mmCIF file of all heavy atoms in Angstrom:
data_model
loop_
_atom_site.group_PDB
_atom_site.id
_atom_site.type_symbol
_atom_site.label_atom_id
_atom_site.label_comp_id
_atom_site.label_asym_id
_atom_site.label_seq_id
_atom_site.Cartn_x
_atom_site.Cartn_y
_atom_site.Cartn_z
ATOM 1 N N ALA V 26 -5.933 -1.585 -57.602
ATOM 2 C CA ALA V 26 -7.083 -0.706 -57.223
ATOM 3 C C ALA V 26 -7.250 -0.610 -55.716
ATOM 4 O O ALA V 26 -7.459 0.500 -55.161
ATOM 5 C CB ALA V 26 -8.358 -1.225 -57.921
ATOM 6 N N ASN V 27 -7.107 -1.757 -55.057
ATOM 7 C CA ASN V 27 -7.232 -1.744 -53.577
ATOM 8 C C ASN V 27 -6.119 -0.895 -52.961
ATOM 9 O O ASN V 27 -6.363 -0.177 -51.972
ATOM 10 C CB ASN V 27 -7.188 -3.152 -53.031
ATOM 11 C CG ASN V 27 -8.534 -3.878 -53.239
ATOM 12 O OD1 ASN V 27 -9.522 -3.275 -53.378
ATOM 13 N ND2 ASN V 27 -8.474 -5.209 -53.303
ATOM 14 N N ASN V 28 -4.944 -1.026 -53.514
ATOM 15 C CA ASN V 28 -3.846 -0.191 -52.989
ATOM 16 C C ASN V 28 -4.069 1.264 -53.212
ATOM 17 O O ASN V 28 -3.806 2.129 -52.329
ATOM 18 C CB ASN V 28 -2.519 -0.645 -53.692
ATOM 19 C CG ASN V 28 -1.299 -0.081 -52.976
ATOM 20 O OD1 ASN V 28 -1.243 -0.033 -51.734
ATOM 21 N ND2 ASN V 28 -0.371 0.387 -53.761
ATOM 22 N N SER V 29 -4.600 1.640 -54.408
ATOM 23 C CA SER V 29 -4.971 3.033 -54.656
ATOM 24 C C SER V 29 -5.985 3.535 -53.692
ATOM 25 O O SER V 29 -5.962 4.652 -53.168
ATOM 26 C CB SER V 29 -5.489 3.182 -56.069
ATOM 27 O OG SER V 29 -4.453 2.961 -57.041
ATOM 28 N N ILE V 30 -7.009 2.695 -53.444
ATOM 29 C CA ILE V 30 -8.071 3.047 -52.467
ATOM 30 C C ILE V 30 -7.482 3.278 -51.090
ATOM 31 O O ILE V 30 -7.808 4.265 -50.426
ATOM 32 C CB ILE V 30 -9.178 2.013 -52.440
ATOM 33 C CG1 ILE V 30 -9.986 2.057 -53.743
ATOM 34 C CG2 ILE V 30 -10.090 2.220 -51.248
ATOM 35 C CD1 ILE V 30 -10.939 0.931 -53.957
ATOM 36 N N LYS V 31 -6.582 2.412 -50.700
ATOM 37 C CA LYS V 31 -5.919 2.538 -49.417
ATOM 38 C C LYS V 31 -5.153 3.852 -49.313
ATOM 39 O O LYS V 31 -5.244 4.614 -48.310
ATOM 40 C CB LYS V 31 -4.935 1.345 -49.166
ATOM 41 C CG LYS V 31 -4.229 1.356 -47.877
ATOM 42 C CD LYS V 31 -3.270 0.180 -47.758
ATOM 43 C CE LYS V 31 -2.382 0.285 -46.526
ATOM 44 N NZ LYS V 31 -1.437 -0.798 -46.477
ATOM 45 N N ASN V 32 -4.370 4.181 -50.341
ATOM 46 C CA ASN V 32 -3.620 5.435 -50.374
ATOM 47 C C ASN V 32 -4.538 6.636 -50.392
ATOM 48 O O ASN V 32 -4.238 7.622 -49.666
ATOM 49 C CB ASN V 32 -2.705 5.423 -51.592
ATOM 50 C CG ASN V 32 -1.563 4.451 -51.494
ATOM 51 O OD1 ASN V 32 -1.178 3.994 -50.419
ATOM 52 N ND2 ASN V 32 -0.985 4.047 -52.598
ATOM 53 N N LEU V 33 -5.608 6.560 -51.154
ATOM 54 C CA LEU V 33 -6.542 7.677 -51.203
ATOM 55 C C LEU V 33 -7.228 7.852 -49.847
ATOM 56 O O LEU V 33 -7.464 9.033 -49.402
ATOM 57 C CB LEU V 33 -7.611 7.469 -52.301
ATOM 58 C CG LEU V 33 -7.044 7.630 -53.719
ATOM 59 C CD1 LEU V 33 -8.126 7.147 -54.723
ATOM 60 C CD2 LEU V 33 -6.584 9.032 -54.028
ATOM 61 N N ASN V 34 -7.571 6.818 -49.178
ATOM 62 C CA ASN V 34 -8.167 6.903 -47.850
ATOM 63 C C ASN V 34 -7.205 7.526 -46.849
ATOM 64 O O ASN V 34 -7.588 8.373 -46.021
ATOM 65 C CB ASN V 34 -8.582 5.540 -47.330
ATOM 66 C CG ASN V 34 -9.900 5.055 -47.928
ATOM 67 O OD1 ASN V 34 -10.735 5.906 -48.394
ATOM 68 N ND2 ASN V 34 -10.140 3.783 -47.978
ATOM 69 N N ALA V 35 -5.938 7.182 -46.962
ATOM 70 C CA ALA V 35 -4.907 7.820 -46.045
ATOM 71 C C ALA V 35 -4.783 9.286 -46.393
ATOM 72 O O ALA V 35 -4.735 10.104 -45.488
ATOM 73 C CB ALA V 35 -3.551 7.118 -46.272
ATOM 74 N N THR V 36 -4.805 9.639 -47.699
ATOM 75 C CA THR V 36 -4.730 11.011 -48.053
ATOM 76 C C THR V 36 -5.935 11.804 -47.609
ATOM 77 O O THR V 36 -5.856 12.914 -47.118
ATOM 78 C CB THR V 36 -4.627 11.170 -49.632
ATOM 79 O OG1 THR V 36 -3.408 10.432 -49.994
ATOM 80 C CG2 THR V 36 -4.536 12.587 -50.044
ATOM 81 N N LEU V 37 -7.122 11.161 -47.739
ATOM 82 C CA LEU V 37 -8.367 11.787 -47.275
ATOM 83 C C LEU V 37 -8.309 12.060 -45.749
ATOM 84 O O LEU V 37 -8.715 13.137 -45.274
ATOM 85 C CB LEU V 37 -9.538 10.951 -47.664
ATOM 86 C CG LEU V 37 -10.929 11.454 -47.251
ATOM 87 C CD1 LEU V 37 -11.176 12.822 -47.880
ATOM 88 C CD2 LEU V 37 -12.005 10.464 -47.635
ATOM 89 N N LYS V 38 -7.824 11.077 -45.019
ATOM 90 C CA LYS V 38 -7.719 11.220 -43.583
ATOM 91 C C LYS V 38 -6.797 12.392 -43.199
ATOM 92 O O LYS V 38 -7.137 13.211 -42.363
ATOM 93 C CB LYS V 38 -7.249 9.917 -42.890
ATOM 94 C CG LYS V 38 -7.192 9.958 -41.422
ATOM 95 C CD LYS V 38 -6.716 8.632 -40.841
ATOM 96 C CE LYS V 38 -6.717 8.739 -39.287
ATOM 97 N NZ LYS V 38 -6.222 7.503 -38.666
ATOM 98 N N TYR V 39 -5.691 12.451 -43.868
ATOM 99 C CA TYR V 39 -4.710 13.548 -43.677
ATOM 100 C C TYR V 39 -5.370 14.904 -43.999
ATOM 101 O O TYR V 39 -5.263 15.859 -43.219
ATOM 102 C CB TYR V 39 -3.523 13.334 -44.560
ATOM 103 C CG TYR V 39 -2.487 14.475 -44.469
ATOM 104 C CD1 TYR V 39 -1.602 14.556 -43.423
ATOM 105 C CD2 TYR V 39 -2.431 15.403 -45.513
ATOM 106 C CE1 TYR V 39 -0.665 15.593 -43.370
ATOM 107 C CE2 TYR V 39 -1.501 16.438 -45.451
ATOM 108 C CZ TYR V 39 -0.635 16.575 -44.443
ATOM 109 O OH TYR V 39 0.263 17.563 -44.357
ATOM 110 N N ALA V 40 -6.109 14.926 -45.130
ATOM 111 C CA ALA V 40 -6.776 16.194 -45.509
ATOM 112 C C ALA V 40 -7.835 16.624 -44.466
ATOM 113 O O ALA V 40 -7.964 17.801 -44.179
ATOM 114 C CB ALA V 40 -7.390 16.027 -46.889
ATOM 115 N N GLU V 41 -8.563 15.605 -43.956
ATOM 116 C CA GLU V 41 -9.611 15.923 -42.964
ATOM 117 C C GLU V 41 -8.935 16.463 -41.669
ATOM 118 O O GLU V 41 -9.462 17.407 -41.081
ATOM 119 C CB GLU V 41 -10.378 14.660 -42.615
ATOM 120 C CG GLU V 41 -11.334 14.280 -43.749
ATOM 121 C CD GLU V 41 -12.032 12.916 -43.479
ATOM 122 O OE1 GLU V 41 -11.531 12.126 -42.656
ATOM 123 O OE2 GLU V 41 -13.047 12.648 -44.195
ATOM 124 N N GLU V 42 -7.778 15.908 -41.291
ATOM 125 C CA GLU V 42 -7.096 16.406 -40.120
ATOM 126 C C GLU V 42 -6.620 17.861 -40.353
ATOM 127 O O GLU V 42 -6.767 18.684 -39.445
ATOM 128 C CB GLU V 42 -5.911 15.503 -39.775
ATOM 129 C CG GLU V 42 -6.307 14.143 -39.259
ATOM 130 C CD GLU V 42 -5.066 13.160 -39.135
ATOM 131 O OE1 GLU V 42 -3.954 13.572 -39.480
ATOM 132 O OE2 GLU V 42 -5.298 12.051 -38.709
ATOM 133 N N LYS V 43 -6.048 18.093 -41.507
ATOM 134 C CA LYS V 43 -5.572 19.421 -41.850
ATOM 135 C C LYS V 43 -6.728 20.403 -41.863
ATOM 136 O O LYS V 43 -6.647 21.555 -41.495
ATOM 137 C CB LYS V 43 -4.791 19.443 -43.138
ATOM 138 C CG LYS V 43 -3.467 18.778 -43.036
ATOM 139 C CD LYS V 43 -2.585 19.452 -42.058
ATOM 140 C CE LYS V 43 -1.274 18.779 -41.874
ATOM 141 N NZ LYS V 43 -0.441 19.449 -40.868
ATOM 142 N N ALA V 44 -7.889 19.951 -42.417
ATOM 143 C CA ALA V 44 -9.068 20.856 -42.478
ATOM 144 C C ALA V 44 -9.568 21.151 -41.089
ATOM 145 O O ALA V 44 -9.944 22.332 -40.786
ATOM 146 C CB ALA V 44 -10.189 20.163 -43.278
ATOM 147 N N GLY V 45 -9.479 20.182 -40.181
ATOM 148 C CA GLY V 45 -9.890 20.480 -38.810
ATOM 149 C C GLY V 45 -8.930 21.482 -38.133
ATOM 150 O O GLY V 45 -9.380 22.363 -37.444
ATOM 151 N N GLN V 46 -7.645 21.334 -38.399
ATOM 152 C CA GLN V 46 -6.664 22.269 -37.887
ATOM 153 C C GLN V 46 -6.957 23.665 -38.450
ATOM 154 O O GLN V 46 -6.870 24.670 -37.754
ATOM 155 C CB GLN V 46 -5.248 21.829 -38.233
ATOM 156 C CG GLN V 46 -4.805 20.600 -37.466
ATOM 157 C CD GLN V 46 -3.471 20.070 -37.939
ATOM 158 O OE1 GLN V 46 -2.831 20.657 -38.825
ATOM 159 N NE2 GLN V 46 -3.044 18.962 -37.339
ATOM 160 N N ALA V 47 -7.229 23.709 -39.755
ATOM 161 C CA ALA V 47 -7.515 25.010 -40.376
ATOM 162 C C ALA V 47 -8.778 25.643 -39.794
ATOM 163 O O ALA V 47 -8.789 26.839 -39.590
ATOM 164 C CB ALA V 47 -7.644 24.817 -41.943
ATOM 165 N N ASP V 48 -9.755 24.821 -39.545
ATOM 166 C CA ASP V 48 -10.993 25.376 -38.900
ATOM 167 C C ASP V 48 -10.707 26.020 -37.596
ATOM 168 O O ASP V 48 -11.229 27.099 -37.248
ATOM 169 C CB ASP V 48 -12.013 24.306 -38.770
ATOM 170 C CG ASP V 48 -12.700 23.837 -40.117
ATOM 171 O OD1 ASP V 48 -12.542 24.619 -41.061
ATOM 172 O OD2 ASP V 48 -13.344 22.807 -40.110
ATOM 173 N N LYS V 49 -9.865 25.318 -36.819
ATOM 174 C CA LYS V 49 -9.503 25.882 -35.499
ATOM 175 C C LYS V 49 -8.721 27.206 -35.601
ATOM 176 O O LYS V 49 -9.010 28.138 -34.939
ATOM 177 C CB LYS V 49 -8.638 24.878 -34.659
ATOM 178 C CG LYS V 49 -9.441 23.715 -34.147
ATOM 179 C CD LYS V 49 -8.472 22.670 -33.460
ATOM 180 C CE LYS V 49 -9.294 21.499 -33.041
ATOM 181 N NZ LYS V 49 -8.382 20.499 -32.407
ATOM 182 N N LEU V 50 -7.832 27.246 -36.615
ATOM 183 C CA LEU V 50 -7.056 28.465 -36.807
ATOM 184 C C LEU V 50 -7.968 29.639 -37.265
ATOM 185 O O LEU V 50 -7.806 30.761 -36.881
ATOM 186 C CB LEU V 50 -5.935 28.236 -37.823
ATOM 187 C CG LEU V 50 -4.798 27.354 -37.340
ATOM 188 C CD1 LEU V 50 -3.833 27.021 -38.462
ATOM 189 C CD2 LEU V 50 -4.076 27.996 -36.142
ATOM 190 N N VAL V 51 -8.921 29.293 -38.129
ATOM 191 C CA VAL V 51 -9.868 30.307 -38.614
ATOM 192 C C VAL V 51 -10.665 30.803 -37.490
ATOM 193 O O VAL V 51 -10.887 32.034 -37.403
ATOM 194 C CB VAL V 51 -10.742 29.748 -39.774
ATOM 195 C CG1 VAL V 51 -11.900 30.658 -40.057
ATOM 196 C CG2 VAL V 51 -9.937 29.498 -41.006
ATOM 197 N N ALA V 52 -11.128 29.923 -36.618
ATOM 198 C CA ALA V 52 -11.934 30.366 -35.449
ATOM 199 C C ALA V 52 -11.121 31.287 -34.577
ATOM 200 O O ALA V 52 -11.647 32.319 -34.064
ATOM 201 C CB ALA V 52 -12.417 29.118 -34.656
ATOM 202 N N GLU V 53 -9.847 30.956 -34.356
ATOM 203 C CA GLU V 53 -8.983 31.842 -33.567
ATOM 204 C C GLU V 53 -8.805 33.194 -34.260
ATOM 205 O O GLU V 53 -8.850 34.241 -33.601
ATOM 206 C CB GLU V 53 -7.567 31.190 -33.376
ATOM 207 C CG GLU V 53 -7.597 29.986 -32.431
ATOM 208 C CD GLU V 53 -6.225 29.328 -32.355
ATOM 209 O OE1 GLU V 53 -5.201 29.993 -32.678
ATOM 210 O OE2 GLU V 53 -6.156 28.175 -31.951
ATOM 211 N N LEU V 54 -8.646 33.182 -35.572
ATOM 212 C CA LEU V 54 -8.475 34.387 -36.310
ATOM 213 C C LEU V 54 -9.721 35.257 -36.223
ATOM 214 O O LEU V 54 -9.620 36.486 -36.048
ATOM 215 C CB LEU V 54 -8.130 34.094 -37.743
ATOM 216 C CG LEU V 54 -7.840 35.238 -38.670
ATOM 217 C CD1 LEU V 54 -6.630 36.095 -38.126
ATOM 218 C CD2 LEU V 54 -7.489 34.811 -40.077
ATOM 219 N N VAL V 55 -10.884 34.634 -36.316
ATOM 220 C CA VAL V 55 -12.169 35.373 -36.199
ATOM 221 C C VAL V 55 -12.206 36.027 -34.868
ATOM 222 O O VAL V 55 -12.606 37.235 -34.735
ATOM 223 C CB VAL V 55 -13.381 34.439 -36.441
ATOM 224 C CG1 VAL V 55 -14.642 35.083 -36.012
ATOM 225 C CG2 VAL V 55 -13.397 34.062 -37.879
ATOM 226 N N LYS V 56 -11.793 35.355 -33.778
ATOM 227 C CA LYS V 56 -11.838 35.914 -32.439
ATOM 228 C C LYS V 56 -10.911 37.145 -32.368
ATOM 229 O O LYS V 56 -11.241 38.157 -31.802
ATOM 230 C CB LYS V 56 -11.476 34.874 -31.376
ATOM 231 C CG LYS V 56 -12.528 33.864 -31.121
ATOM 232 C CD LYS V 56 -12.065 32.866 -30.050
ATOM 233 C CE LYS V 56 -13.094 31.756 -29.901
ATOM 234 N NZ LYS V 56 -12.613 30.779 -28.904
ATOM 235 N N GLU V 57 -9.685 36.965 -32.954
ATOM 236 C CA GLU V 57 -8.756 38.094 -32.944
ATOM 237 C C GLU V 57 -9.266 39.293 -33.719
ATOM 238 O O GLU V 57 -9.074 40.409 -33.304
ATOM 239 C CB GLU V 57 -7.400 37.592 -33.551
ATOM 240 C CG GLU V 57 -6.624 36.663 -32.658
ATOM 241 C CD GLU V 57 -6.179 37.296 -31.333
ATOM 242 O OE1 GLU V 57 -5.775 38.470 -31.339
ATOM 243 O OE2 GLU V 57 -6.222 36.612 -30.297
ATOM 244 N N ILE V 58 -9.927 39.016 -34.868
ATOM 245 C CA ILE V 58 -10.495 40.093 -35.614
ATOM 246 C C ILE V 58 -11.582 40.813 -34.869
ATOM 247 O O ILE V 58 -11.678 42.053 -34.833
ATOM 248 C CB ILE V 58 -11.006 39.607 -36.985
ATOM 249 C CG1 ILE V 58 -9.799 39.207 -37.865
ATOM 250 C CG2 ILE V 58 -11.862 40.616 -37.701
ATOM 251 C CD1 ILE V 58 -10.221 38.474 -39.161
ATOM 252 N N GLN V 59 -12.427 40.074 -34.179
ATOM 253 C CA GLN V 59 -13.492 40.608 -33.421
ATOM 254 C C GLN V 59 -12.955 41.487 -32.249
ATOM 255 O O GLN V 59 -13.385 42.592 -31.988
ATOM 256 C CB GLN V 59 -14.417 39.544 -32.845
ATOM 257 C CG GLN V 59 -15.304 38.852 -33.866
ATOM 258 C CD GLN V 59 -15.997 37.651 -33.385
ATOM 259 O OE1 GLN V 59 -15.673 37.050 -32.326
ATOM 260 N NE2 GLN V 59 -17.035 37.188 -34.085
ATOM 261 N N LYS V 60 -11.892 40.970 -31.634
ATOM 262 C CA LYS V 60 -11.249 41.712 -30.593
ATOM 263 C C LYS V 60 -10.645 43.043 -31.136
ATOM 264 O O LYS V 60 -10.795 44.061 -30.500
ATOM 265 C CB LYS V 60 -10.097 40.835 -29.960
ATOM 266 C CG LYS V 60 -9.387 41.480 -28.833
ATOM 267 C CD LYS V 60 -8.325 40.565 -28.302
ATOM 268 C CE LYS V 60 -7.431 41.221 -27.296
ATOM 269 N NZ LYS V 60 -6.317 40.365 -26.853
ATOM 270 N N ALA V 61 -9.970 42.912 -32.246
ATOM 271 C CA ALA V 61 -9.373 44.115 -32.890
ATOM 272 C C ALA V 61 -10.448 45.124 -33.257
ATOM 273 O O ALA V 61 -10.285 46.339 -33.090
ATOM 274 C CB ALA V 61 -8.513 43.694 -34.102
ATOM 275 N N ASN V 62 -11.586 44.602 -33.826
ATOM 276 C CA ASN V 62 -12.671 45.502 -34.175
ATOM 277 C C ASN V 62 -13.239 46.256 -32.978
ATOM 278 O O ASN V 62 -13.579 47.441 -33.023
ATOM 279 C CB ASN V 62 -13.775 44.764 -34.907
ATOM 280 C CG ASN V 62 -13.419 44.400 -36.298
ATOM 281 O OD1 ASN V 62 -12.561 45.002 -36.941
ATOM 282 N ND2 ASN V 62 -14.099 43.421 -36.857
ATOM 283 N N LYS V 63 -13.318 45.564 -31.869
ATOM 284 C CA LYS V 63 -13.786 46.206 -30.622
ATOM 285 C C LYS V 63 -12.816 47.309 -30.153
ATOM 286 O O LYS V 63 -13.216 48.389 -29.730
ATOM 287 C CB LYS V 63 -14.010 45.198 -29.497
ATOM 288 C CG LYS V 63 -15.213 44.312 -29.672
ATOM 289 C CD LYS V 63 -15.386 43.296 -28.567
ATOM 290 C CE LYS V 63 -16.585 42.414 -28.852
ATOM 291 N NZ LYS V 63 -16.741 41.347 -27.838
#
């Protein structure tokens, strides 16, 4: 169980990092869309 928790925590950390990267990409895309709309 402890090993599973350790693995899940590592997976969660990875997912959080990817979510942060995705948020940055979405923010860049929103800026590009706003620029294109102008």
Side-chain angles (χ1 to χ4, degrees):
N27 284 336
N28 193 41
S29 292
I30 290 169
K31 180 182 172 185
N32 291 339
L33 289 171
N34 281 335
T36 301
L37 180 59
K38 183 177 180 181
Y39 175 79
E41 287 172 342
E42 290 171 0
K43 290 298 178 183
Q46 292 173 0
D48 286 345
K49 287 178 184 177
L50 292 172
V51 167
E53 289 176 21
L54 185 57
V55 166
K56 287 179 185 178
E57 290 295 321
I58 290 170
Q59 290 170 342
K60 181 180 172 184
N62 284 339
K63 286 179 183 178

